[in-house]
Amino acid sequence: MKRVAVGSLLLLLIAGACKRETETAVNANAANKVSTRTARLYFEAPEMLLVSESRALALPESPAAALPLIVAELMKGPAGGPLLRLWPEDTVVRGAYLVPGGTAIVDLGGATLSAGWQVGSHHELMAIYSLVQTVTVNLREARQVRILVNGSAAETLGGHVSAVRSLRPMPGLVHPSSR
Amino acid sequence: MKRFLLFGSLSVLAVSVVLAQTSGRGVLRTDSGDHPFTYVEQAGHTYVSATEVVAALGGEMALDAGGYRITLQGVTAGFGSDSRYGVVRDDLIEMPVAPMLIDGNPFVPWQFFQGFLSKAFALDVTWEASGKLMTLRPQQREAVDVQVSVGNVQGISKIVLTLSAPAEYSVARGQAVYAVRFETPIRAPFSDQAYEDPHVARIRFSGNELRIHLTAPDIVSDVYRLDDPPRIVLDFRKGTPGVPLPGGETPATPLRPREVPGIQTIVIDPGHGGKEVGAVGPNGLMEKDINLAVARKLANVLSRRLGTRVVLTRDDDSVVSLDQRTALANQYSADLFLSVHMNAAVVRGAQGSETYFLSLEASDELARKAAETENASAASGSSADLNLILWDLAQQAYLDESSRFAQTIQESMNAATGVANRGVKQAPFKVLVGATMPAALVEVGFITNPEEESKLQSDGFQNLMVEALASAIERYKTEYETRIGVIQPAAAPAAASANNTETSGATASPQGATEPE
């Protein structure tokens, strides 16, 4: 067994020696400290406006790392009570990224969105802006949200709301108590 | 202990293989010469020092909240260290892997610069791994095949140029001749061909240009673009020229006045169609079917009552893209655009009608981008982005009138039907974006509410809705034409004079256009 171990180490040394050029170490992003924070997730209320539900989440301090977790939590739907789920249950969060200029890119997938969501204007509008509102309220670094479907830009998700540009919050869709 | 030693050494080896990097000096070759920069190879990907490449290009880079922001010749781009998407203006740059930080310095996959520089400056960027050479050069464009068809339908001669790939072009008008000039090389199907057509005498190709020789000098053309496949359509007729579309005759000018004042043409857009069924009611009623039924009835009533041309964007159960709906309205030089939809909500019992016009917030942002793009286009010589932005801005000039139009629609719906009033709202609805006329989208009722679903499929309720919409359009037409002086206030007919609920009679033509009797 010792031989195997020594052999492995030798291989490692040889591999290192074969590099002719400078070797640098990856400075992968510093480990994110995770703490429990309260996120505000927006869903539709019976008054047909967006209302926030507060939920305690273990979130990394890095906004970029927290973003996909917050979006995934939104997609789980409301915990209960009068608030209503807006996104299809099969929606998958493929990725969510924060890029300069205050843009959060949210890449969604799942059977319903992939097939073309058959939905009405109000429902589509509220779903999209529940995402925009949730992201921008919880991450001050994000001012607007660009939605992708399966990694690509989509004209719309359900035939109404333009998704070809980044979207900013629409306070008029949010109940005054949750703004 | 042995096990521990073995596990430890294997782990170190595995980590080492994953993180193994090779770095060195590469060369960035531009018009201004060669510039050295640092590259790193890891896991089959080549990363370049963003700081050094940006500096070599004469740009600036700064740390931003979401990552790094680059400014180069007035164009802003950026990337984050956790995302394989970067941005340039509001467009995305896709990279094979996310950038990384090495000793605090950002390294991006070389493809970031490929996306950035091609989108912003029409430059090709290549990476030669053997020579560690990154080269920038103006984009080499492949020749585009052009197919030509000429036909005459109801007095309009339609030339369709079908392209093998999207291409930039401009259209110039001379004495009895139109010239379509492509900015990319083209392969022509013939050099010269004559036609037996009332308006088109001959088409000649020369280099990257084709010339359409007309039979008379007073023939005018509407030029517009269709996608999938890419096509340029030129409609020749005697009459009022239409408003060009993005990619068409020079940059489209949304404010271009129509030659005949007043509301002459109304486009009614039945939402969805074909496989895009829209919302579905609890008993299976499909939104696309009710939209079409209401739109057809409305077109008939309007053409009888107002003496205007009424055009449907679809007159059957077909898929029509959102851009094509607006493009059709622009092609017809329509003076009014109304998209008809049925609503849906997750709230049980949601009811009532609401009317939308385009959200101003989106337009403000686009106005800024237009200025930014205009500068960039001037620098790069590319007008494609500018045309796209102008398309996005088309509705902005009409927002005040669109607001009035939406208000009139909503008031009429409330008065005539007694359904719950959900008011006039603004939203970034795609179908309204490119319209160069007052435009609104009406949500007649909630198909997801079983009670409203039942009402929406009844002829009686549909006729009531149609009457409300027709009255609103008539009232708006009267008020608008009074405002612009076409109708003298004293002579203005009473908006409510016609209470005719007739919905039968004139039949839409195969093109969806209903001419006045």
Side-chain angles (χ1 to χ4, degrees), chain A residues 9-22:
Chain A
L9 285 170
L10 280 174
L11 273 174
L12 187 62
L13 290 171
I14 291 165
C18 284
K19 284 185 195 161
R20 285 175 288 122
E21 301 176 47
T22 316

Side-chain angles (χ1 to χ4, degrees), chain B residues 37 51 98 105 108 185 229 238 259 270 277 281 347 405 407 468 499 511:
Chain B
F37 66 90
T51 311
N105 297 311
V108 292
K238 295 199 174 188
E259 290 179 7
V277 302
V347 174
F405 181 40
Q407 190 68 43
N499 287 321
Q511 285 72 40

Side-chain angles (χ1 to χ4, degrees), chain A residues 12 21-22 24 26-27 29 64 97-100 105 118 121-123 129 146 148 151 160 162 165-166 168 170, chain B residues 12 21 23-24 66 68 82-83 85 90 92 101 272 277-278 343-344 346 361 365 392 426 428-430 443:
Chain A
L12 187 62
E21 301 176 47
T22 316
T24 50
V26 175
N27 179 6
N29 295 319
Y97 317 100
L98 199 54
V99 293
I105 296 171
Q118 306 302 334
S121 299
H122 176 82
H123 189 169
Y129 281 94
R146 177 78 186 272
L148 307 180
H160 307 95
S162 174
R165 305 279 178 200
S166 302
R168 295 183 178 207
M170 284 179 65
Chain B
V12 170
Q21 293 179 343
S23 67
Y68 290 86
D82 295 327
S83 168
Y85 292 98
D90 199 18
L92 297 179
L101 290 174
H272 308 283
V277 302
N343 220 338
V346 292
E361 189 265 340
E365 176 69 4
D392 287 349
Q426 285 182 273
F429 284 155
K430 186 75 173 71
E443 294 285 353

Side-chain angles (χ1 to χ4, degrees), chain A residues 32-171:
Chain A
N32 284 304
K33 187 180 170 187
V34 174
S35 59
T36 300
R37 285 187 281 147
T38 301
R40 294 172 68 189
L41 310 174
Y42 284 79
F43 304 102
E44 186 163 1
E47 301 93 317
M48 299 185 73
L49 289 171
L50 296 172
V51 168
S52 66
E53 174 190 307
S54 295
R55 197 175 294 179
L57 301 175
L59 294 173
E61 283 184 356
S62 154
L67 171 63
L69 301 180
I70 291 170
V71 175
E73 205 63 30
L74 176 73
M75 295 302 163
K76 290 179 183 171
L83 300 185
L84 298 158
R85 161 189 285 281
L86 284 160
W87 288 91
E89 288 193 23
D90 59 10
T91 301
V92 175
V93 183
R94 291 164 38 97
Y97 317 100
L98 199 54
V99 293
T103 302
I105 296 171
V106 178
D107 183 6
L108 301 175
T112 302
L113 295 184
S114 301
W117 194 8
Q118 306 302 334
V119 69
S121 299
H122 176 82
H123 189 169
E124 183 182 353
L125 194 66
M126 296 303 272
I128 285 175
Y129 281 94
S130 74
L131 174 60
V132 174
Q133 185 72 15
T134 297
V135 168
T136 54
V137 160
N138 289 289
L139 301 170
R140 62 182 173 79
E141 294 79 3
R143 296 196 302 274
Q144 55 193 12
V145 177
R146 177 78 186 272
I147 300 172
L148 307 180
V149 177
N150 295 321
S152 300
E155 189 178 51
T156 68
L157 270 59
H160 307 95
V161 180
S162 174
V164 300
R165 305 279 178 200
S166 302
L167 298 167
R168 295 183 178 207
M170 284 179 65

Side-chain angles (χ1 to χ4, degrees), chain B residues 14-62:
Chain B
V15 170
S16 173
V17 168
V18 169
L19 299 183
Q21 293 179 343
T22 303
S23 67
R25 298 291 279 172
V27 172
L28 171 66
R29 182 158 295 162
T30 69
D31 283 348
S32 63
D34 288 355
H35 311 270
F37 66 90
T38 307
Y39 73 86
V40 169
E41 289 174 341
Q42 178 179 291
H45 298 289
T46 302
Y47 300 75
V48 299
S49 164
T51 311
E52 293 174 22
V53 172
V54 168
L57 293 172
E60 293 178 352
M61 196 167 77

